[in-house]
Amino acid sequence: MMSHHEDYNDLLPGYALDALDDEERRRVAAHLESCPACRLELEELRETIGLLAFAALGARPPARVKEAIFARIAAPDPADPDAAPPASHEAVSAASAAPTAGLASGAAPVRRPGLSVLGGRARLALAALAAALILGLGGWNVALQQRNEALAAQVRKQGLVARLLNDPGAAHSLSGSSGDPDYPSSGPAGFIYTDPGSDVALMLTYYLPQLPPDKQYQLWLIGPDGSRVSGGLFRPDANGSAELLVRAPAPFGNYRAVGVTVEPAGGSPGPTTPRVVGGTLQ
Amino acid sequence: MDWSEDDGQLIARLAVGDSAALDALYERYAGVVFGLVLRIVAERPVAEDLLQEVFVRAWQRAGSYDGSRGRAGAWLCGIARNLAIDELRRQRRRPQLVSEHDDRDPPREPSAPNGREVAEEAWINLRRVQIETALARLPVAQRQVIELAYFEGFTQSQIAARLGEPLGTVKTRMRLGLRKLRDILQGQGLELEVD
């Protein structure tokens, strides 16, 4: 019979995933009543689990689902007394399905306590990046290697990044080696989004080691014959991440793979060190 | 398009009965919620019903949403996952009724997305990349037990039976894997805190 906090604490992941048997679940639930530390950890675990949903490939539902939702909330079923929200019915917007563009513009983002898992400013930064790339707006605060006007104009004209980000076939995973046999994939990693017919791509990389000031990372575009041309120079942020908008000399259909190496600041004509992270484009 | 309004504000507006906020939340999360329930129940008509139920419940329960207990996306997906797993477990109890529809892996809806949908989906896809990257960093055996519990609704005992592993091993993998995943995602979250 369990009696120690540690024993219950070890059951929390299974409890959070709703994967315990009934008897264990009841015991953990009883312990949670009296243990703020376990309640706090449970909340963290549940937030992590909530994010697992994003691993499922998104799917666009048919419009009839949304219509059904708004029909239900607009005309609550008399047999379903909970179908209306609990408060302030006067506040219901007259046009229930009105477009929301422009609502609350300029409102300051609310910072809530809790985990920073892909939330808060991170979410806004990614949203801003996506919006900026899609709409051709300036002003995003994610470090892009080349944010010159010509490239922005090209991206805007082609609507390309939006297409890349929404085409599952456009994403190619990049990996490095950590040298840790327990976690073979815990080294540098990332994705590059390409279209064979376009010379613009978006690359996201993570877990890159920091570099001294006289070094930079250099992206190489590898041709079918093994030739390498530079795809640009970059530095990761303080946490080892980088988002890079890449412009190649030729459409990406001309390259079979990409690789990243450490080079002297300013770049090299060809790679001079082993690949840190890379992957094929097929 | 307004990217400045975060999920917490939308839920707050939902709680006072602002249906435009429900619209915005739907545009932001319907794709990921639908993808999730479709992956769990595998049948498109069932998934559509569940999707509808998730957002109606969000509308009903927004007043009890506590922002400190997880972000809105995770909250919505939690509702969705619970409903879908309940449905899956119901189906397993009466297996003769399963698979009346053969809707696995249906093609994507051909309708052209509008600009806002494209932007929302782009963000969702970026987020999926983050989660997949994190999952890829888990040892395979740990990832497997987490996915069997989360997407398939199996208990630890059921997973142990399916894998032919001792229950204690499954418990350990789930504990280590989920805590490691939390740590990785927290690390990624910090990485993505761009100034």
Side-chain angles (χ1 to χ4, degrees), chain A residues 75-116:
Chain A
D77 181 348
D80 185 6
D82 291 334
S88 302
H89 287 225
E90 315 82 64
V92 174
S93 148
S96 65
T100 54
L103 281 170
S105 56
V110 173
R111 295 286 290 160
R112 287 188 305 276
L115 294 184
S116 296

Short mmCIF file of all heavy atoms in Angstrom, two decimals, chain A residues 75-116:
data_model
loop_
_atom_site.label_atom_id
_atom_site.label_comp_id
_atom_site.label_asym_id
_atom_site.label_seq_id
_atom_site.Cartn_x
_atom_site.Cartn_y
_atom_site.Cartn_z
N ALA A 75 -29.61 29.02 -30.66
CA ALA A 75 -30.94 28.55 -30.28
C ALA A 75 -30.80 27.34 -29.39
O ALA A 75 -30.90 26.21 -29.84
CB ALA A 75 -31.75 28.19 -31.54
N PRO A 76 -30.55 27.58 -28.11
CA PRO A 76 -30.33 26.46 -27.22
C PRO A 76 -31.52 25.52 -27.19
O PRO A 76 -32.68 25.96 -27.19
CB PRO A 76 -30.16 27.13 -25.85
CG PRO A 76 -29.81 28.54 -26.14
CD PRO A 76 -30.48 28.88 -27.45
N ASP A 77 -31.19 24.26 -27.20
CA ASP A 77 -32.22 23.22 -27.08
C ASP A 77 -32.86 23.34 -25.70
O ASP A 77 -32.18 23.34 -24.69
CB ASP A 77 -31.53 21.86 -27.25
CG ASP A 77 -32.52 20.71 -27.17
OD1 ASP A 77 -33.67 20.93 -26.77
OD2 ASP A 77 -32.12 19.59 -27.51
N PRO A 78 -34.21 23.44 -25.64
CA PRO A 78 -34.85 23.56 -24.33
C PRO A 78 -34.51 22.38 -23.42
O PRO A 78 -34.51 22.52 -22.21
CB PRO A 78 -36.35 23.54 -24.67
CG PRO A 78 -36.45 23.79 -26.12
CD PRO A 78 -35.15 23.42 -26.75
N ALA A 79 -34.22 21.24 -24.03
CA ALA A 79 -33.87 20.07 -23.22
C ALA A 79 -32.42 20.12 -22.76
O ALA A 79 -31.97 19.24 -22.06
CB ALA A 79 -34.10 18.79 -24.03
N ASP A 80 -31.73 21.17 -23.16
CA ASP A 80 -30.30 21.26 -22.86
C ASP A 80 -30.04 22.61 -22.20
O ASP A 80 -29.57 23.54 -22.83
CB ASP A 80 -29.51 21.13 -24.18
CG ASP A 80 -28.01 21.08 -23.93
OD1 ASP A 80 -27.59 21.04 -22.76
OD2 ASP A 80 -27.26 21.08 -24.92
N PRO A 81 -30.39 22.72 -20.92
CA PRO A 81 -30.36 24.03 -20.26
C PRO A 81 -28.96 24.63 -20.19
O PRO A 81 -28.82 25.83 -19.97
CB PRO A 81 -30.88 23.72 -18.85
CG PRO A 81 -30.67 22.25 -18.67
CD PRO A 81 -30.79 21.64 -20.02
N ASP A 82 -27.93 23.82 -20.41
CA ASP A 82 -26.57 24.34 -20.32
C ASP A 82 -26.06 24.88 -21.65
O ASP A 82 -24.92 25.30 -21.75
CB ASP A 82 -25.61 23.24 -19.86
CG ASP A 82 -25.87 22.87 -18.41
OD1 ASP A 82 -26.38 23.74 -17.68
OD2 ASP A 82 -25.57 21.73 -18.04
N ALA A 83 -26.89 24.83 -22.66
CA ALA A 83 -26.39 25.20 -23.99
C ALA A 83 -26.09 26.68 -24.13
O ALA A 83 -25.44 27.08 -25.07
CB ALA A 83 -27.37 24.76 -25.07
N ALA A 84 -26.58 27.48 -23.23
CA ALA A 84 -26.26 28.90 -23.27
C ALA A 84 -25.13 29.17 -22.29
O ALA A 84 -24.97 28.45 -21.30
CB ALA A 84 -27.48 29.73 -22.89
N PRO A 85 -24.32 30.19 -22.55
CA PRO A 85 -23.25 30.49 -21.62
C PRO A 85 -23.82 30.96 -20.28
O PRO A 85 -24.96 31.43 -20.23
CB PRO A 85 -22.47 31.60 -22.32
CG PRO A 85 -23.46 32.22 -23.23
CD PRO A 85 -24.37 31.11 -23.66
N PRO A 86 -23.07 30.85 -19.23
CA PRO A 86 -23.61 31.06 -17.91
C PRO A 86 -23.90 32.52 -17.55
O PRO A 86 -24.61 32.77 -16.60
CB PRO A 86 -22.52 30.48 -16.99
CG PRO A 86 -21.27 30.55 -17.81
CD PRO A 86 -21.70 30.38 -19.22
N ALA A 87 -23.36 33.47 -18.28
CA ALA A 87 -23.49 34.85 -17.81
C ALA A 87 -23.68 35.82 -18.96
O ALA A 87 -23.34 35.54 -20.10
CB ALA A 87 -22.24 35.24 -17.01
N SER A 88 -24.22 36.98 -18.65
CA SER A 88 -24.21 38.14 -19.53
C SER A 88 -24.73 37.87 -20.93
O SER A 88 -24.06 38.09 -21.92
CB SER A 88 -22.78 38.71 -19.64
OG SER A 88 -22.32 39.04 -18.38
N HIS A 89 -25.94 37.40 -20.98
CA HIS A 89 -26.50 37.12 -22.29
C HIS A 89 -26.65 38.38 -23.12
O HIS A 89 -26.65 38.33 -24.33
CB HIS A 89 -27.86 36.42 -22.15
CG HIS A 89 -27.72 35.00 -21.70
ND1 HIS A 89 -28.40 33.96 -22.26
CD2 HIS A 89 -26.93 34.46 -20.75
CE1 HIS A 89 -28.06 32.84 -21.67
NE2 HIS A 89 -27.17 33.12 -20.75
N GLU A 90 -26.75 39.53 -22.46
CA GLU A 90 -26.89 40.78 -23.22
C GLU A 90 -25.67 41.01 -24.09
O GLU A 90 -25.72 41.72 -25.07
CB GLU A 90 -27.03 41.98 -22.27
CG GLU A 90 -28.01 41.78 -21.13
CD GLU A 90 -27.37 41.02 -19.98
OE1 GLU A 90 -26.44 41.54 -19.37
OE2 GLU A 90 -27.81 39.90 -19.70
N ALA A 91 -24.54 40.41 -23.69
CA ALA A 91 -23.30 40.69 -24.39
C ALA A 91 -23.17 39.89 -25.68
O ALA A 91 -22.22 40.07 -26.42
CB ALA A 91 -22.10 40.41 -23.50
N VAL A 92 -24.12 39.01 -25.93
CA VAL A 92 -24.00 38.20 -27.14
C VAL A 92 -24.02 39.11 -28.36
O VAL A 92 -24.89 39.96 -28.52
CB VAL A 92 -25.15 37.18 -27.24
CG1 VAL A 92 -25.10 36.46 -28.58
CG2 VAL A 92 -25.05 36.20 -26.09
N SER A 93 -23.04 38.92 -29.19
CA SER A 93 -22.94 39.74 -30.39
C SER A 93 -24.14 39.49 -31.30
O SER A 93 -24.62 38.37 -31.44
CB SER A 93 -21.63 39.41 -31.10
OG SER A 93 -21.78 39.55 -32.47
N ALA A 94 -24.63 40.55 -31.89
CA ALA A 94 -25.82 40.42 -32.74
C ALA A 94 -25.55 39.51 -33.92
O ALA A 94 -26.35 38.67 -34.28
CB ALA A 94 -26.25 41.80 -33.22
N ALA A 95 -24.41 39.69 -34.54
CA ALA A 95 -24.05 38.83 -35.67
C ALA A 95 -23.18 37.71 -35.14
O ALA A 95 -21.99 37.85 -34.97
CB ALA A 95 -23.30 39.64 -36.73
N SER A 96 -23.81 36.58 -34.90
CA SER A 96 -23.09 35.55 -34.16
C SER A 96 -21.89 35.01 -34.91
O SER A 96 -20.92 34.59 -34.32
CB SER A 96 -24.03 34.40 -33.81
OG SER A 96 -24.45 33.76 -34.99
N ALA A 97 -21.97 34.99 -36.22
CA ALA A 97 -20.85 34.44 -36.98
C ALA A 97 -20.07 35.52 -37.70
O ALA A 97 -19.48 35.29 -38.73
CB ALA A 97 -21.35 33.40 -37.98
N ALA A 98 -20.11 36.72 -37.13
CA ALA A 98 -19.44 37.82 -37.80
C ALA A 98 -17.94 37.58 -37.89
O ALA A 98 -17.36 36.96 -37.02
CB ALA A 98 -19.68 39.12 -37.02
N PRO A 99 -17.33 38.07 -38.95
CA PRO A 99 -15.89 37.93 -39.03
C PRO A 99 -15.23 38.68 -37.87
O PRO A 99 -15.77 39.68 -37.40
CB PRO A 99 -15.53 38.60 -40.36
CG PRO A 99 -16.80 38.88 -41.05
CD PRO A 99 -17.91 38.78 -40.07
N THR A 100 -14.11 38.18 -37.43
CA THR A 100 -13.50 38.76 -36.24
C THR A 100 -12.33 39.67 -36.57
O THR A 100 -11.69 40.19 -35.67
CB THR A 100 -12.99 37.66 -35.32
OG1 THR A 100 -12.13 36.81 -36.07
CG2 THR A 100 -14.14 36.86 -34.77
N ALA A 101 -12.05 39.86 -37.84
CA ALA A 101 -10.91 40.69 -38.16
C ALA A 101 -11.07 42.07 -37.53
O ALA A 101 -12.14 42.66 -37.57
CB ALA A 101 -10.78 40.83 -39.68
N GLY A 102 -10.00 42.54 -36.92
CA GLY A 102 -10.02 43.87 -36.38
C GLY A 102 -10.56 43.97 -34.97
O GLY A 102 -10.48 45.01 -34.34
N LEU A 103 -11.08 42.89 -34.44
CA LEU A 103 -11.59 42.93 -33.08
C LEU A 103 -10.46 43.17 -32.10
O LEU A 103 -9.40 42.58 -32.21
CB LEU A 103 -12.29 41.62 -32.73
CG LEU A 103 -13.70 41.48 -33.27
CD1 LEU A 103 -14.18 40.06 -33.08
CD2 LEU A 103 -14.61 42.46 -32.58
N ALA A 104 -10.72 44.03 -31.15
CA ALA A 104 -9.77 44.24 -30.07
C ALA A 104 -8.37 44.57 -30.58
O ALA A 104 -7.38 44.21 -29.97
CB ALA A 104 -9.70 43.02 -29.15
N SER A 105 -8.31 45.24 -31.72
CA SER A 105 -6.99 45.55 -32.24
C SER A 105 -6.27 46.47 -31.27
O SER A 105 -6.87 47.35 -30.67
CB SER A 105 -7.09 46.18 -33.61
OG SER A 105 -7.92 47.31 -33.54
N GLY A 106 -5.00 46.25 -31.12
CA GLY A 106 -4.22 47.08 -30.23
C GLY A 106 -4.27 46.63 -28.79
O GLY A 106 -3.59 47.18 -27.94
N ALA A 107 -5.07 45.62 -28.49
CA ALA A 107 -5.13 45.14 -27.12
C ALA A 107 -3.79 44.53 -26.74
O ALA A 107 -3.18 43.82 -27.51
CB ALA A 107 -6.24 44.10 -26.98
N ALA A 108 -3.36 44.82 -25.54
CA ALA A 108 -2.08 44.27 -25.09
C ALA A 108 -2.23 42.80 -24.79
O ALA A 108 -3.21 42.38 -24.20
CB ALA A 108 -1.60 45.01 -23.85
N PRO A 109 -1.26 42.00 -25.22
CA PRO A 109 -1.34 40.57 -24.89
C PRO A 109 -1.32 40.38 -23.38
O PRO A 109 -0.59 41.06 -22.67
CB PRO A 109 -0.08 39.99 -25.53
CG PRO A 109 0.40 41.02 -26.49
CD PRO A 109 -0.07 42.33 -25.98
N VAL A 110 -2.13 39.46 -22.91
CA VAL A 110 -2.17 39.17 -21.49
C VAL A 110 -1.14 38.11 -21.18
O VAL A 110 -1.06 37.09 -21.85
CB VAL A 110 -3.57 38.67 -21.09
CG1 VAL A 110 -3.58 38.20 -19.64
CG2 VAL A 110 -4.59 39.76 -21.30
N ARG A 111 -0.33 38.35 -20.18
CA ARG A 111 0.65 37.34 -19.77
C ARG A 111 0.09 36.61 -18.57
O ARG A 111 -0.22 37.20 -17.55
CB ARG A 111 1.98 38.00 -19.40
CG ARG A 111 2.64 38.68 -20.57
CD ARG A 111 3.25 37.70 -21.53
NE ARG A 111 4.41 37.04 -20.93
CZ ARG A 111 4.89 35.89 -21.37
NH1 ARG A 111 4.30 35.27 -22.35
NH2 ARG A 111 5.95 35.37 -20.82
N ARG A 112 -0.08 35.33 -18.73
CA ARG A 112 -0.60 34.55 -17.61
C ARG A 112 0.53 33.78 -16.96
O ARG A 112 1.52 33.49 -17.60
CB ARG A 112 -1.66 33.57 -18.11
CG ARG A 112 -2.95 34.21 -18.48
CD ARG A 112 -3.98 33.13 -18.75
NE ARG A 112 -3.52 32.20 -19.76
CZ ARG A 112 -3.62 32.42 -21.05
NH1 ARG A 112 -4.17 33.52 -21.48
NH2 ARG A 112 -3.20 31.53 -21.91
N PRO A 113 0.35 33.43 -15.70
CA PRO A 113 1.32 32.54 -15.08
C PRO A 113 1.23 31.17 -15.71
O PRO A 113 0.28 30.87 -16.42
CB PRO A 113 0.89 32.49 -13.62
CG PRO A 113 -0.56 32.82 -13.65
CD PRO A 113 -0.74 33.77 -14.79
N GLY A 114 2.19 30.34 -15.44
CA GLY A 114 2.15 28.99 -15.98
C GLY A 114 3.34 28.73 -16.86
O GLY A 114 4.28 29.50 -16.91
N LEU A 115 3.30 27.64 -17.57
CA LEU A 115 4.42 27.26 -18.41
C LEU A 115 4.56 28.19 -19.59
O LEU A 115 3.62 28.81 -20.04
CB LEU A 115 4.21 25.84 -18.94
CG LEU A 115 4.21 24.75 -17.88
CD1 LEU A 115 4.09 23.40 -18.56
CD2 LEU A 115 5.48 24.82 -17.07
N SER A 116 5.76 28.23 -20.10
CA SER A 116 6.00 29.03 -21.30
C SER A 116 6.03 28.14 -22.52
O SER A 116 6.70 28.44 -23.49
CB SER A 116 7.34 29.75 -21.17
OG SER A 116 7.28 30.66 -20.11
#
